[in-house]
């Protein structure tokens, strides 16, 4: 069997165990398991440029906590055929978690190009991008 497949099966089993438990979730530890390197990518994003380009964007990245994500998926209980959208997807925490615990279709939208490009380079799944258009 493929080693990557075994790793994904183990990761899915761990995330499902956390999803069904009440134990506190350790965001940095889960990010490490999912190979999310948020700090290294964020270090390359110039805050002033980001604020000028996207005035509503925070000057620092603060992703959703895994405890919040777990509450959301328990509440929404998405099923096959449902579509979950994450607007401001960042590094994909909501989508990654959902991809391991449900069979819904998951879609994310992220405006910060560096985050999208990093995800496209590192993701073992399909990441498509399009340039946002401005509305007049």
């Amino acid at each position: 069997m493929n080693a990557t497949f075994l790793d994904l099966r183990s990761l899915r089993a761990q995330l499902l165990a956390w999803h069904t438990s009440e134990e506190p979730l350790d965001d940095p530890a889960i990010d490490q398991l999912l190979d999310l390197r948020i700090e290294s990518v964020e270090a390359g994003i110039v805050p002033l440029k980001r604020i000028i380009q996207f005035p509503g964007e925070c000057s620092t990245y603060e992703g959703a906590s895994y405890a919040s994500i777990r509450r959301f998926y328990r509440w929404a209980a998405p099923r096959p055929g449902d579509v979950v959208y994450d607007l401001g997807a960042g590094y994909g925490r909501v989508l990654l978690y959902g991809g391991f615990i449900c069979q819904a279709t998951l879609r994310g939208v992220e405006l910060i190009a560096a985050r999208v490009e990093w995800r496209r380079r590192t993701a073992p799944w399909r990441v498509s991008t399009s340039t946002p258009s401005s509305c007049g």
Side-chain angles (χ1 to χ4, degrees), residues 3-98:
T4 303
F5 180 70
L6 289 175
D7 292 342
L8 289 176
R9 284 181 57 189
S10 299
L11 183 55
R12 182 175 190 270
Q14 180 61 63
L15 284 168
L16 281 170
W18 283 330
H19 184 69
T20 58
S21 79
E22 294 302 322
E23 88 178 74
L25 300 177
D26 182 347
D27 290 357
I30 297 172
D31 281 347
Q32 186 174 2
L33 279 175
L34 295 172
D35 198 28
L36 295 179
R37 300 173 188 189
I38 295 168
E39 293 81 16
S40 64
V41 178
E42 286 298 305
I45 299 174
V46 179
L48 184 57
K49 182 178 176 183
R50 176 176 39 198
I51 292 169
I52 291 168
Q53 188 175 4
F54 303 106
E57 174 75 11
C58 297
S59 60
T60 58
Y61 174 78
E62 294 182 31
S65 71
Y66 287 104
S68 296
I69 296 167
R70 175 170 61 185
R71 280 192 303 275
F72 165 74
Y73 279 105
R74 286 178 177 176
W75 172 80
R79 299 176 303 221
D82 290 343
V83 180
V84 174
Y85 287 94
D86 183 8
L87 305 178
Y91 293 90
R93 275 183 172 179
V94 171
L95 304 173
L96 285 168
Y97 186 100

Side-chain angles (χ1 to χ4, degrees), residues 2 24 35 63 66 77 94 96-97 106 108 110-111 116 120 133 136:
N2 184 328
D35 198 28
Y66 287 104
V94 171
L96 285 168
Y97 186 100
L106 308 168
E110 176 56 51
L111 293 177
V116 175
R120 183 190 300 175
S133 61

